[in-house]
């Protein structure tokens, strides 16, 4: 039996670093599971579009697709935009929408990987506070997930972890950095909880100017590539009816 195609659905950005990072992540996921067909698509700004890839797959005779939102929280894009475009797919395709990536212990591991790559070590945890900086959302469910992730990161041993946002929510990254300083934290690190570079990650970096350490975006971290395959497997195991048939 042929396995469904994994269609990664990224947001897209005018910043060329965004698509390059998404493509690097997808390449790493492919390398972890040879034989699985993995396609990349974008909701906006970049090509190929979701609709374009779905049309091409249908023309090639593909029948089953798992559409994976390359999103860390289940906010508007996962709840509305992606289901809407999937419903416009060619009728010959059977499509399941996989869960978003977060929350997951693999994301905690990826965040710590980036912090260590930025110069920290496990022995620094007790003296280092972390600002978990995400893009931001007005969706209460998404905000709650960021708070949960901050708690999970704190449980790994960092002396304090505060969530922060680049837009739409408070506190901003720079305010969270100052709050940790005011609490007497000796060293402050900013961990961007974002997948790829772009305008909002740049805003996070600007807000980290007073921090001691700024980690990189999650990008093609091996844990993130593994998580893509985990969500694909979960979607395949689901018994609910496909979104499009």
């Amino acid at each position: 039996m042929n396995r469904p195609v994994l269609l990664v659905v990224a947001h897209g950005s005018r910043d060329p670093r965004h698509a390059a990072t998404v493509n690097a992540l997808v390449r790493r996921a492919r390398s972890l599971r040879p034989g699985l067909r993995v396609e990349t698509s974008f909701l906006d700004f970049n090509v190929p579009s979701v609709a374009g890839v779905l049309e091409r797959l249908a023309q090639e005779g593909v029948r089953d697709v798992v559409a994976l939102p390359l999103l860390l929280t289940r906010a508007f894009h996962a709840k509305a935009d992606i289901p809407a475009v999937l419903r416009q797919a060619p009728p010959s395709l059977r499509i399941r929408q996989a869960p978003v990536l977060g929350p997951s212990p693999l994301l905690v591991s990826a965040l710590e990987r980036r912090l260590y790559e930025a110069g920290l070590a496990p022995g620094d945890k007790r003296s280092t506070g972390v600002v978990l900086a995400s893009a931001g959302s007005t969706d209460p469910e998404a905000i709650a997930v960021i708070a949960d992730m901050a708690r999970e990161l704190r449980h790994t041993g960092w002396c304090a972890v505060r969530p922060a946002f680049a837009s739409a929510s408070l506190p901003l990254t720079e305010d969270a950095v100052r709050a940790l300083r005011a609490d007497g934290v000796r060293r402050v690190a900013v961990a961007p909880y974002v997948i790829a570079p772009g305008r909002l990650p740049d805003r996070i970096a600007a807000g980290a100017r007073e921090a001691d350490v700024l980690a990189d975006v999650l990008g093609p971290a091996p844990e993130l590539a593994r998580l893509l395959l985990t969500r694909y497997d979960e979607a395949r195991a689901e018994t609910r009816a496909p979104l499009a048939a």
Side-chain angles (χ1 to χ4, degrees):
M1 181 179 179
N2 291 332
R3 288 180 289 184
V5 171
L6 170 56
L7 176 62
V8 176
V9 182
H11 182 273
S13 171
R14 292 186 177 90
D15 189 320
R17 297 173 298 168
H18 177 91
T21 301
V22 169
N23 288 324
L25 173 60
V26 170
R27 285 195 298 271
R28 173 158 259 170
R30 280 196 198 104
S31 73
L32 294 177
R33 192 168 296 182
L36 172 62
R37 182 172 178 179
V38 186
E39 297 280 348
T40 308
S41 65
F42 298 90
L43 283 173
D44 205 355
F45 302 118
N46 303 107
V47 292
S49 67
V50 181
V53 175
L54 291 172
E55 185 66 36
R56 173 165 53 83
L57 292 174
Q59 291 174 356
E60 293 176 11
V62 170
R63 290 293 175 262
D64 292 291
V65 176
V66 169
L68 171 61
L70 197 63
L71 301 169
L72 297 172
T73 60
R74 190 172 176 271
F76 183 79
H77 294 303
K79 293 177 179 178
D81 287 347
I82 293 176
V85 73
L86 295 180
R87 282 193 289 268
Q88 300 302 313
S92 61
L93 292 175
R94 293 183 293 267
I95 303 175
R96 286 194 179 95
Q97 181 175 325
V100 297
L101 299 178
S104 169
L106 285 169
L107 288 169
V108 174
S109 297
L111 286 163
E112 291 203 307
R113 171 186 292 275
R114 294 303 188 223
L115 287 165
Y116 296 150
E117 289 172 350
L120 295 172
D124 296 323
K125 284 187 171 185
R126 294 182 64 183
S127 60
T128 303
V130 177
V131 174
L132 182 67
S134 75
S137 175
T138 57
D139 189 302
E141 181 181 352
I143 298 300
V145 168
I146 302 301
D148 288 342
M149 283 296 300
R151 283 191 289 270
E152 290 302 312
L153 190 59
R154 170 70 178 83
H155 290 160
T156 68
W158 302 95
C159 76
V161 178
R162 284 179 177 264
F165 307 93
S167 69
S169 310
L170 295 174
L172 299 175
T173 303
E174 52 267 39
D175 295 330
V177 170
R178 292 167 188 150
L180 286 173
R181 295 274 192 222
D183 288 342
V185 174
R186 192 169 73 188
R187 184 190 294 109
V188 177
V190 173
Y193 189 56
V194 293
I195 294 173
R199 178 176 58 87
L200 293 179
D202 284 349
R203 192 176 296 175
I204 290 171
R209 281 192 294 259
E210 295 180 24
D212 302 291
V213 175
L214 171 62
D216 200 357
V217 298
L218 296 172
E223 296 86 356
L224 201 58
R226 286 168 51 201
L227 184 54
L228 264 61
L229 299 175
T230 298
R231 294 294 185 247
Y232 170 81
D233 292 337
E234 290 169 350
R236 285 192 68 193
E238 285 285 346
T239 57
R240 64 175 183 268
L243 282 175

